[in-house]
Each structure stands twice: as structure tokens, then as C-alpha cells.
Amino acid sequence: MPAERGWFDFDAVDFVTSDHHFGHARISELAGRPFSTVDEMDSALIERWNSVVPTDAVVLHLGDVALGPINDSVALTAQLNGRRHLVPGNHDRVSSATQSRKAIERFAPIYEAAGWVILPEIIEGTRRGHRLMASHYPYWGDSQEIDRHSKHRPIDKGIPLLHGHTHSRDHGPDGNQFHVGVDAFEFRPVAMGVIDRWLGGEHSPTRVEIPNEVAALLHRLYRPEAAAAWLCGHNSHLVGARPIDLLKLNEIGDVVDALNSEVQGGMS
């Protein structure tokens, strides 16, 4: 059975992925997948996984691996290459977020028989010296209008996070979280080299060009360390958005307005 949380060796991982939903008859409709039947989807998911994952690779799966008739859909995953680790998601029958302890004890052997090592629902460790966390759930965001399972989500303390759950077609970084779901990666696992490049600096505010008017206001208000924290923090003047994300979208005016509001606040 999975523990509630654990330290994990991310250096041992070759690929990361999430949200296959093997056996789920409605997921193509719900997530806009290009498959006519669940059998077509399952076959394509297996083929695309095995086309990139060698038999001796280590794969970290961030949840919702299978749905549908669970004995059959989990059994399908035995065809997948690699040594496979599962961080349970809300649809996995070994998830403490949605299943009773008795149910987890019942279903865990089915996953293990198909080759899965069941991990805690939030894992933390390092990758090539960089701090890293992984969970099925992002810090924020959902496939629905509200953020579900809030008690089981990791708390955003600035640590880079790998996640699934959203079924977004937008892949990769969103601030200090990185979506690895198959809906955004042509239904294939993501090589950890992609994550390494992100951890190497692409999630840092220094990778975004800071406009002069923003830089001047930041210099007026904050020391460099505090300025970086302000850029990456959720801002009440921006209705909870992070300034760094708005700058990536070239929404410079809104960030300037937020800074001017803080300047005025400091003068009052």
C-alpha cells in the first residue's frame, strides 16, 4: 500500500507521464481525444508508450493510469515497457484521496501483478541537484471549473512540481509546475531530459525578459531576492495571477498597474 508521502530518487527516472485512462470509454469524448473507440485508444496508448520507452527504462506515472473494468484495464498495462512507478491519482483504485483503506488493500495486488510499484501520493526529492516534487494534482488547476481534492494537493512552497490531472493540451511549464499528461504530449511519456532543461532554469523569472518599466518599479520597491519572489507569487492586484506568467503573455500593463498599486500602498 502507498504511504501518504515519501522521499524519491528522481535521478533514477527516465520518463514521466500521467492520465492514460486505459479502459475509460468516455475519456475521448471528455478530453477531446482523437479515438473512435476505447479499444482503439488503448492500442494507440500502448503503441506510443512502447515506441519511446525501452524495456529497461524507469517510468514515473502520475496517476489515473486506468479506469473502466479495473481488472481488465489494469491488466492491459502489463504490456507497457519499462519499470513502472505509480503516484496514484483520483481515479486509481489505490488512491487514498478517493478509496477506503479496505479498497486499497483489495486492489493493490492487481496493480502490482501488472508491474506497478505503488508510491505515495506526493513524492519529493532531487533531480540532478534540483529540488523536485511530483503529484497527480497540480498546485492549482483542474479539468473542471473548481480545484477538486484540495486536501490531497501539494502546498506551493516554491518547489518545482510535476503533475497531471488537468487533461490540458497545454504542455510543460506553468510557473513552478509542469504538466506531463498524455493529452499534451501526443499520448507519449515525456523524457526526463525535458524536465532537466526546465529545472536548469526555464522556470526561473530570469528566463523572461523583464520590461524596463517593470524593472524600474521593482528596483524602487524591492531588493533583488524579494523582487524575484514578487514576480513568482500569486498577486491579489492581479486576481491571484502571477506577474511572471502575465509577462510571458506580454500583459505588461497589468503588471505595471499592480506595481503602481503597491507603490501607492507604500506611500499611504
Side-chain angles (χ1 to χ4, degrees), residues 6 15 26 62 95 97 99 109 111 133-134 162 202 248 253 256 258:
F15 295 88
R26 292 194 62 213
L62 301 185
S95 166
Q99 305 292 319
Y111 287 80
M133 293 176 65
L162 306 179
E202 291 182 12
K248 291 176 184 177
V256 170

Side-chain angles (χ1 to χ4, degrees), residues 213-214 216-222 230 237 255-268:
E213 58 266 48
V214 173
L217 287 166
L218 285 170
H219 180 73
R220 179 179 177 183
L221 280 165
Y222 302 113
W230 186 88
H237 297 298
V255 176
V256 170
D257 289 345
L259 281 165
N260 281 325
S261 295
E262 301 209 6
V263 170
Q264 294 166 10
M267 293 178 174
S268 61

Side-chain angles (χ1 to χ4, degrees), residues 4-243:
E4 291 184 358
R5 189 160 184 158
W7 192 261
F8 184 74
D9 180 14
F10 287 99
D11 285 334
V13 177
D14 300 301
F15 295 88
V16 63
T17 189
S18 73
D19 295 281
H20 281 73
H21 283 241
F22 281 103
H24 186 181
R26 292 194 62 213
I27 191 60
S28 286
E29 173 190 350
L30 296 172
R33 294 184 176 180
F35 306 111
S36 300
T37 67
V38 67
D39 289 339
E40 178 189 352
M41 180 188 75
D42 289 344
S43 296
L45 292 176
I46 292 168
E47 187 278 326
R48 295 189 189 193
W49 176 300
N50 289 342
S51 71
V52 297
V53 177
T55 56
D56 60 347
V58 175
V59 184
L60 179 63
H61 196 291
L62 301 185
D64 287 6
V65 66
L67 206 56
I70 203 65
N71 287 310
D72 296 334
S73 57
V74 172
L76 280 175
T77 67
Q79 301 176 45
L80 300 172
N81 286 347
R83 291 173 285 157
R84 291 168 279 114
H85 298 263
L86 175 63
V87 173
N90 53 296
H91 287 300
D92 294 309
R93 301 296 180 89
V94 288
S95 166
S96 61
T98 57
Q99 305 292 319
S100 67
R101 179 172 292 273
K102 186 175 181 180
I104 293 172
E105 291 174 347
R106 174 187 173 192
F107 287 108
I110 297 173
Y111 287 80
E112 291 165 352
W116 293 99
V117 176
I118 303 170
L119 299 178
E121 303 210 5
I122 298 174
I123 56 175
E124 184 174 349
T126 58
R127 171 75 182 183
R128 298 188 175 181
H130 295 280
R131 194 84 172 270
L132 185 62
M133 293 176 65
S135 168
H136 176 65
Y137 308 102
Y139 290 133
W140 65 89
D142 204 293
S143 59
Q144 299 185 16
E145 292 182 357
I146 60 172
D147 287 358
R148 298 165 295 160
H149 310 292
S150 57
K151 293 181 180 178
H152 298 273
R153 290 174 182 252
I155 298 171
D156 185 0
K157 296 182 179 179
I159 300 172
L161 173 74
L162 306 179
H163 73 89
H165 185 63
T166 66
H167 290 278
S168 171
R169 295 183 184 178
D170 295 330
H171 64 278
D174 176 13
N176 62 337
Q177 59 183 21
F178 193 112
H179 175 230
V180 300
V182 293
D183 296 284
F185 285 93
E186 298 181 339
F187 307 102
R188 293 179 175 89
V190 183
M192 283 299 288
V194 175
I195 307 303
D196 292 334
R197 289 192 291 275
W198 175 61
L199 290 174
E202 291 182 12
H203 71 288
S204 167
T206 59
R207 291 284 181 160
V208 177
E209 184 174 349
I210 307 301
N212 290 336
E213 58 266 48
V214 173
L217 287 166
L218 285 170
H219 180 73
R220 179 179 177 183
L221 280 165
Y222 302 113
R223 293 181 181 274
E225 297 83 359
W230 186 88
L231 284 167
C232 292
H234 296 279
N235 194 288
S236 60
H237 297 298
L238 298 169
V239 198
R242 300 185 335 142

